[in-house]
Amino acid sequence: GYDDTNAYVRKIVKMQDKCDYSAVLKEISTKKAPMPAKDRKAYEILSNLGLKLSHGDYSLARLAIDALWNQYQHSKSSDLNACRFHLATINVIEISGPSIAESSLTSGIIIKCTNEIYSLCKRRSMEKLNIILINGDISFQFRHIGYEDKYKEVTYITAGQLNTGRQTEEEKWLQLISNNLFQNNIGLLAVKGYVDQRVVDLCYCNDIILLSELTYNQLKALSLSTGNAILTYIPDLHEIQMGLTVTVKPWICGWNFKKTLDRKINKAATSYHILIDCEAPNTALQTVTICGTSSASIKSAQLRFKSCLNRIYNTLRFGKCLPGGGLTELVCSEALKILDDFVGKMAAWKQAIHIVKILANSDYVIITDTK
């Protein structure tokens, strides 16, 4: 709760000058479920590292620590340094209203949807659904970037035949889409771009959850978690093996019911969200809810959280951490000065050697006094 978070922050603020986080780490460990000694040691290392790299944002650092720890628990690695973390599976959404202290971490990915999809998820909340991920549009005219028809035939037909032929081709295309969805028992269709209205009607009539205009990061997060490949066209589905199933359910932020920040109008507006999760994911699928009382505070908190998450991730990945506060730049500057002085001396030494060689091969030397 809010008071608990404030108490936690006050404890760290008192100890930040001494860099002693032992009491806070003990408090964090007690809130976690009992774990083996090896895992407990790894969690203490990760927590200590995260707090020292927090730059004072302790509440946001806790979210980053917990997100990375959940990924470590789902990984097959028993070594924290050897674990492969996927930052793409850590989604971030914004909630306007509560204070930053109310920011939280949720298992699964939270996606904005329409009122119809929200109602459909209520009916299918207990089901396990097969999912398709499409990186593009679902329309008869859509072609991927770089597409080139190698076989260009010239056929002369009348205007009536053109309309009939085009309608027939579009009907075949729609039937192919329908067959692929039904044969693979698809329950959720996640699309990055635009979806033809006929496909929308097809999904709506058959209780298929359709999510359009998603970001590529959301598709990538679902792909990494479930093992489903990101496709360009629905008919490509027959060439791959289906990954893990997902579950969906309505999600309510818990503050002002359904009020979230709409970036287009920069105001709090009524919106609907669903939570997509996987029972045994390849890597933990998570969403960090960043709260704030204004759009400026939310944006600032989101940037600070991502910076903290990246600092911890890069330190774990490369095993090194450069000091901040301008110290790294100062050391580099001093090193460049030394190098510049050394290069100057080397140039003078080479020139002196060159002059000596010239003198050694000369019979006479004429010295002109310039005074």
Side-chain angles (χ1 to χ4, degrees):
Y2 181 76
D3 295 336
D4 179 58
T5 302
N6 279 350
Y8 166 82
V9 172
R10 284 196 298 270
K11 286 183 180 181
I12 299 184
V13 170
K14 291 179 182 179
M15 294 180 290
Q16 64 180 359
D17 294 334
K18 301 179 181 179
C19 294
D20 179 16
Y21 303 106
S22 57
V24 178
L25 294 177
K26 183 178 180 180
E27 180 182 347
I28 295 176
S29 299
T30 55
K31 293 183 178 181
K32 289 288 181 181
M35 60 182 72
K38 187 175 181 180
D39 287 348
R40 190 183 307 111
K41 181 64 176 178
Y43 185 75
E44 290 178 358
I45 292 173
L46 180 61
S47 300
N48 199 4
L49 176 64
L51 292 174
K52 288 185 177 180
L53 295 176
S54 64
H55 289 190
D57 289 321
Y58 303 110
S59 58
L60 297 177
R62 289 181 69 182
L63 298 177
I65 292 168
D66 290 342
L68 293 174
W69 177 251
N70 290 338
Q71 287 198 6
Y72 172 75
Q73 288 184 311
H74 283 85
S75 69
K76 298 178 181 179
S77 175
S78 58
D79 184 5
L80 191 62
N81 294 328
C83 177
R84 184 178 180 183
F85 296 99
H86 298 280
L87 299 189
T89 60
I90 302 175
N91 188 41
V92 179
I93 65 169
E94 304 170 353
I95 299 296
S96 178
S99 65
I100 295 178
E102 298 293 330
S103 301
S104 60
L105 178 67
T106 305
S107 176
I109 182 170
I110 299 172
I111 296 179
K112 190 175 180 179
C113 65
T114 62
N115 184 20
E116 292 79 12
I117 297 299
Y118 186 85
S119 301
L120 177 57
C121 289
K122 286 183 178 180
R123 300 199 302 267
R124 307 199 65 176
S125 59
M126 302 301 293
E127 301 179 33
K128 295 181 180 179
L129 308 175
N130 289 325
I131 182 173
I132 297 182
L133 308 173
I134 302 296
N135 182 26
D137 298 339
I138 301 181
S139 64
F140 179 74
Q141 298 84 5
F142 174 74
R143 299 293 184 272
H144 64 273
I145 297 176
Y147 172 82
E148 182 179 358
D149 191 356
K150 296 181 180 179
Y151 304 97
K152 298 181 179 179
E153 299 181 357
V154 179
T155 306
Y156 297 95
I157 57 178
T158 64
Q161 290 175 329
L162 177 62
N163 293 333
T164 304
R166 182 177 180 82
Q167 185 178 6
T168 303
E169 290 298 323
E170 291 190 5
E171 288 177 353
K172 290 180 180 179
W173 169 81
L174 186 60
Q175 186 62 44
L176 182 61
I177 297 295
S178 176
N179 293 340
N180 278 273
L181 294 178
F182 296 147
Q183 289 173 5
N184 294 280
N185 193 24
I186 301 302
L188 194 153
L189 182 58
V191 186
K192 181 177 182 291
Y194 163 80
V195 181
D196 189 286
Q197 185 60 43
R198 290 169 295 182
V199 179
V200 174
D201 296 338
L202 175 67
C203 294
Y204 184 77
C205 293
N206 294 278
D207 286 347
I208 298 175
I209 299 172
L210 174 62
L211 301 173
S212 59
E213 297 184 359
L214 302 183
T215 65
Y216 181 78
N217 287 338
Q218 290 174 327
L219 293 180
K220 186 177 180 181
L222 290 168
S223 176
L224 290 172
S225 179
T226 63
N228 285 285
I230 299 177
L231 307 177
T232 305
Y233 307 100
I234 291 181
D236 295 339
L237 186 62
H238 73 277
E239 300 178 0
I240 65 169
Q241 183 178 1
M242 294 293 295
L244 301 174
T245 59
V246 298
T247 58
V248 296
K249 63 180 180 180
W251 180 82
I252 301 175
C253 67
W255 172 268
N256 205 12
F257 192 51
K258 301 170 185 173
K259 293 290 184 179
T260 55
L261 184 65
D262 190 335
R263 289 186 174 182
K264 294 182 180 179
I265 60 176
N266 201 27
K267 292 182 180 179
T270 302
S271 59
Y272 300 88
H273 293 80
I274 61 171
L275 177 65
I276 304 176
D277 204 357
C278 187
E279 288 188 0
N282 297 329
T283 182
L285 189 61
Q286 304 169 91
T287 298
V288 176
T289 305
I290 300 295
C291 302
T293 55
S294 65
S295 59
S297 64
I298 293 175
K299 184 176 181 180
S300 175
Q302 183 175 350
L303 291 175
R304 297 200 310 271
F305 166 76
K306 290 184 177 179
S307 296
C308 181
L309 182 65
N310 286 322
R311 284 195 297 269
I312 302 173
Y313 168 78
N314 289 326
T315 303
L316 291 172
R317 181 180 179 184
F318 299 106
K320 299 178 179 64
C321 181
L322 298 177
L327 181 59
T328 302
E329 290 80 359
L330 182 61
V331 172
C332 292
S333 176
E334 294 297 328
L336 289 174
K337 289 179 181 179
I338 296 173
L339 179 62
D340 184 60
D341 185 53
F342 176 74
V343 171
K345 290 180 179 179
M346 283 292 294
W349 179 77
K350 288 181 179 180
Q351 186 176 6
I353 293 295
H354 183 65
I355 294 174
V356 169
K357 289 181 179 180
I358 293 175
L359 293 176
N361 296 321
S362 301
D363 295 328
Y364 300 97
V365 177
I366 299 174
I367 300 177
T368 304
D369 189 359
T370 59
K371 292 182 179 180

